[in-house]
Amino acid sequence: MGEILALVEARLRTALGEPDARAAVTFLGTDRIEVLRFVDGDVVRYATLGMSAQPMADPTAALADPVKGPRAEMLLSVRAGLADTDKVLRGLAVLAASPQVEGLIVAPGASLDLGEPLWPGAPFSSVLVAESGGLVEDLELDEPMEPVRFLPLLPMTHNEAAWKRVRGAQELQERWLSHGTDLRDPLRTSVNLD
């Protein structure tokens, strides 16, 4: 487990530089989850570290396989200085612990809801999980382990989350793209859904 997390942190540092802050959260019955903060000009990136220590298991399986199964970490990118986004650290740790706590398999296209604003005053309480392979390249592990995928999180307003449940992730992402939505804006309003 420690070896995997060391490789994950090395991959994050290679892709994003040195973190300027880190926080750790431990929930009862789970492994420790850290959140690292990276500043890149006017963008702040938050990355989880710890979610990939164990593979995500199918909640219907009688026994969780300790080796096989998808592994992931989460990435959130926001514009710096517009909101108190550092308060997202605990929320990200909660989302990263959800595979251990709730038996979820977090995959692209999924919605994750925190049940409260991502940070104080945020118009978002949920995120859309996007495809990996962009900002941070997947980390290959020795067989039979699956690679660690670095999944971007795209904040969704309540209206966008409801629309996504009906229309699907692909249509919501196309709507954002066609309207030129700045998904890194921590204060943005909902995209036009008419």
Side-chain angles (χ1 to χ4, degrees):
M1 177 175 107
E3 181 183 320
I4 290 172
L5 294 185
L7 292 171
V8 168
E9 185 167 354
R11 175 59 53 96
L12 287 168
R13 287 172 184 266
T14 299
L16 305 175
E18 288 299 309
D20 75 333
R22 65 193 310 146
V25 180
T26 305
F27 303 100
L28 188 62
T30 67
D31 296 324
R32 180 170 116 145
I33 302 286
E34 289 188 86
V35 179
L36 284 57
R37 183 180 72 185
F38 301 86
V39 178
D40 180 14
D42 70 338
V43 175
V44 180
R45 299 190 199 312
Y46 302 95
T48 63
L49 179 63
M51 182 178 168
S52 62
Q54 305 293 330
M56 293 180 271
D58 182 344
T60 62
L63 287 173
D65 190 313
V67 178
K68 293 181 182 174
R71 295 176 190 261
E73 296 291 351
M74 299 176 178
L75 297 167
L76 175 69
S77 299
V78 293
R79 299 232 176 270
L82 301 176
D84 190 8
T85 56
D86 281 350
K87 299 280 197 246
V88 78
L89 299 177
R90 188 176 188 328
L92 280 178
V94 166
L95 296 177
S98 62
Q100 289 182 57
V101 175
E102 300 174 34
L104 293 178
I105 294 182
V106 178
S111 299
L112 301 173
D113 196 321
L114 205 53
E116 61 186 43
L118 294 179
W119 51 82
F124 324 103
S125 64
S126 61
V127 293
L128 174 64
V129 181
E131 292 286 341
S132 67
L135 192 60
V136 181
E137 210 176 292
D138 293 348
L139 174 65
E140 297 294 331
L141 299 174
D142 293 336
E143 290 288 334
M145 292 186 284
E146 292 186 29
V148 176
R149 304 198 187 287
F150 297 88
L151 301 170
L153 301 180
L154 309 175
M156 294 187 291
T157 65
H158 294 294
N159 288 345
E160 290 168 341
W163 202 79
K164 183 256 175 194
R165 280 191 294 276
V166 174
R167 300 286 189 91
Q170 184 66 37
E171 282 202 36
L172 178 58
Q173 289 178 301
E174 287 171 8
R175 180 62 57 116
W176 282 335
L177 193 58
S178 69
H179 284 79
T181 306
D182 181 1
L183 296 174
R184 293 179 181 166
D185 181 351
L187 303 174
R188 75 172 181 84
T189 56
S190 187
V191 71
N192 182 353
L193 300 169
D194 293 332

